[in-house]
Amino acid sequence: MKRPIVRRALAGMAFTLLVLAGCAGPGSETDTAGVSAPIAPALIPAPATLQTSEGSFTLDAGTPLFATGELAPRVARQFAAYLTSAGGPALSVAQADGKGVIRFVLEPGNANAASPEAYTLDITPDGATVKARDERGLFYGAVTLWQLATQGDRNGAILPALHIEDAPRFGWRGFMLDPARHFQSVDEVKKVIDAMALHKLNTLHWHLTDDQGWRIEIKQYPKLTEIGGCRIPAGDGGKDPKTGAPRPYCGFYTQDQIRDVVKYAAERHITVVPEINVPGHATAAISAYPELGSIDTPLVPSNEWGVFPNLVNVEEGTITFLENVLGEVVTLFPGTYVHIGGDEAVKDQWEASAREQARMRQVGAKTEMDLQGYLVERLEKYLSTHGKRLIGWDEILEGPM
């Protein structure tokens, strides 16, 4: 069971990022009347190269920001907003360049930049300059400067003179968020996105469906959220303390909320990759639409952790259902990839089902894993017609495609 281990690690990472993102807030131990001594740079992730030199630059409430054009001022404002939210001084964008200014400079024609996400940061006694050829790189340079600035005091920081040249080591820098098990509100998701941005992560893997809940509105199939979006927690958590009546745990994102989150992430140069699980991790979906299942036993969204045997069947009606679901999903997520899960699909129900055994013979599948491969191939072809690429967990490689 590799996945629970992965998710525990990610949950811990989320906590760490959120703590780091607010480490210099009001009321902390660093909330003093003056600016501290020069900092020793500590950056996450470490830049490709960092060279320090003599001198320092003081960033305080009187430090102006300078940026020209359409995109650079947006990055300057984002830097100022993040600095203020972390308890630092409120900075404003000035109309003129000069000594003691923080500059954000876009150089689109700079062919020397290693990638669109590359940047340089120079700090001298006369000011600081972030340069990049693309807004993404400029944003990451601003994030580096933010990390340096928030190592000071609430009123500012004395930044050492330095030169940084940086570009990401990996093109996909991802974080997975699972609201299927434990639902997070839109505001909570945005806090995670901010923490990701401040550590230069660029891909949010949004795990939207599982045995314990279906969290994305699909207009053609409203029961997915009406029924699949609610479960009765185990033990006392599932009871009203006053009446003893069942107390459901519910939550889902409307399509408008999805668009809002995707837009918010894009403004921070993060692509959102949705995950819709098939054929396993499908208890919530089958609870809402029992005809999707491989057995006739009624199901409810699970209130327990673990791997469950409930698989969708692979009949034409179910494939049409899944294509219709994905048809709505692809309109909400402009990124290239759609994740279809494919993991931990225990085949007991398919092995015991006369219908699925007949379906295997019909499509030429010799094993149940071949049948899963047939389903993955059908969904891959459908997504490709919408300009999307299918991805999944490693088990999708075990069947032919």
Side-chain angles (χ1 to χ4, degrees):
M1 294 229 346
K2 60 185 179 302
R3 191 149 128 196
I5 296 172
V6 171
R7 285 195 174 136
R8 283 196 293 271
L10 288 171
M13 181 180 175
F15 176 78
T16 301
L17 293 182
L18 291 170
V19 169
L20 287 172
C23 62
S28 69
E29 292 183 359
T30 60
D31 187 8
T32 61
V35 176
S36 66
I39 66 168
L43 299 168
I44 303 175
T49 64
L50 187 158
Q51 298 173 324
T52 58
S53 57
E54 295 297 323
S56 62
F57 169 68
T58 299
L59 184 157
D60 57 27
T63 302
L65 308 178
F66 178 75
T68 60
E70 178 184 356
L71 303 179
R74 179 163 64 189
V75 174
R77 290 191 295 270
Q78 288 176 315
F79 169 79
Y82 277 135
L83 187 61
T84 303
S85 68
L91 307 184
S92 58
V93 179
Q95 299 300 314
D97 197 355
K99 188 175 181 179
V101 169
I102 296 176
R103 304 169 191 83
F104 296 88
V105 181
L106 270 177
E107 297 180 324
N110 183 2
N112 294 324
S115 80
E117 295 178 308
Y119 68 90
T120 61
L121 170 60
D122 287 285
I123 298 175
T124 73
D126 291 333
T129 302
V130 182
K131 286 185 180 181
R133 71 177 175 92
D134 186 274
E135 185 184 359
R136 285 169 286 178
L138 197 66
F139 178 80
Y140 294 134
V143 165
T144 296
L145 185 59
W146 174 88
Q147 288 192 13
L148 292 170
T150 53
Q151 291 169 43
D153 297 323
R154 180 177 183 182
N155 296 307
I158 299 178
L159 307 178
L162 55 73
H163 173 75
I164 289 176
E165 294 183 12
D166 195 18
R169 296 161 180 80
F170 303 99
W172 182 298
R173 303 181 302 281
F175 180 87
M176 188 176 77
L177 184 65
D178 180 356
R181 274 62 177 264
H182 298 286
F183 184 73
Q184 294 94 19
S185 69
V186 169
D187 286 343
E188 290 169 331
V189 175
K190 288 180 176 180
K191 288 179 181 178
V192 170
I193 290 171
D194 280 327
M196 290 176 62
L198 292 172
H199 292 78
K200 303 186 179 78
L201 301 181
N202 68 353
T203 306
L204 174 61
H205 178 163
W206 209 1
H207 184 91
L208 290 166
T209 75
D210 214 296
D211 295 295
Q212 294 82 5
W214 184 285
R215 305 303 184 195
I216 176 172
E217 177 189 27
I218 302 298
K219 293 185 181 297
Q220 191 169 346
Y221 301 109
K223 291 181 182 179
L224 286 171
T225 49
E226 291 173 3
I227 296 175
C230 292
R231 65 174 182 259
I232 304 298
D236 289 341
K239 300 177 183 178
D240 186 297
K242 295 181 179 179
T243 66
R247 182 169 62 180
Y249 178 94
C250 304
F252 71 92
Y253 307 105
T254 67
Q255 293 194 1
D256 284 342
Q257 288 174 323
I258 295 279
R259 293 186 186 94
D260 179 42
V261 168
V262 169
K263 179 176 180 291
Y264 189 87
E267 290 169 349
R268 289 147 184 82
H269 309 285
I270 293 171
T271 300
V272 183
V273 176
E275 180 179 352
I276 308 296
N277 263 280
V278 291
H281 292 284
T283 303
I286 298 170
S287 299
Y289 292 94
E291 63 270 23
L292 301 175
S294 301
I295 59 174
D296 295 329
T297 303
L299 300 175
V300 295
S302 178
N303 59 14
E304 297 180 355
W305 179 269
V307 177
F308 300 90
N310 304 314
L311 306 187
V312 298
N313 62 60
V314 191
E315 296 164 25
E316 284 301 318
T318 296
I319 293 176
T320 297
F321 174 95
L322 295 173
E323 289 177 344
N324 290 340
V325 167
L326 293 175
E328 295 192 30
V329 169
V330 298
T331 66
L332 302 173
F333 298 91
T336 301
Y337 298 99
V338 174
H339 202 295
I340 57 88
D343 64 317
E344 300 174 337
V346 181
K347 303 300 190 296
D348 295 359
Q349 291 183 356
W350 284 358
E351 292 172 359
S353 170
R355 289 187 307 168
E356 294 311 294
Q357 293 298 310
R359 182 62 167 163
M360 286 172 57
R361 293 190 293 271
Q362 183 182 27
V363 302
K366 295 180 181 179
T367 67
E368 285 74 20
M369 199 66 226
D370 290 346
L371 186 61
Q372 177 169 325
Y374 172 80
L375 175 62
V376 172
E377 181 181 21
R378 287 285 299 270
L379 298 181
E380 188 277 332
K381 289 180 178 178
Y382 176 80
L383 287 170
S384 68
T385 65
H386 291 271
K388 303 294 184 182
R389 294 187 63 183
L390 178 147
I391 57 175
W393 299 109
D394 58 283
E395 288 94 327
I396 69 170
L397 302 176
E398 296 175 14
M401 284 184 61

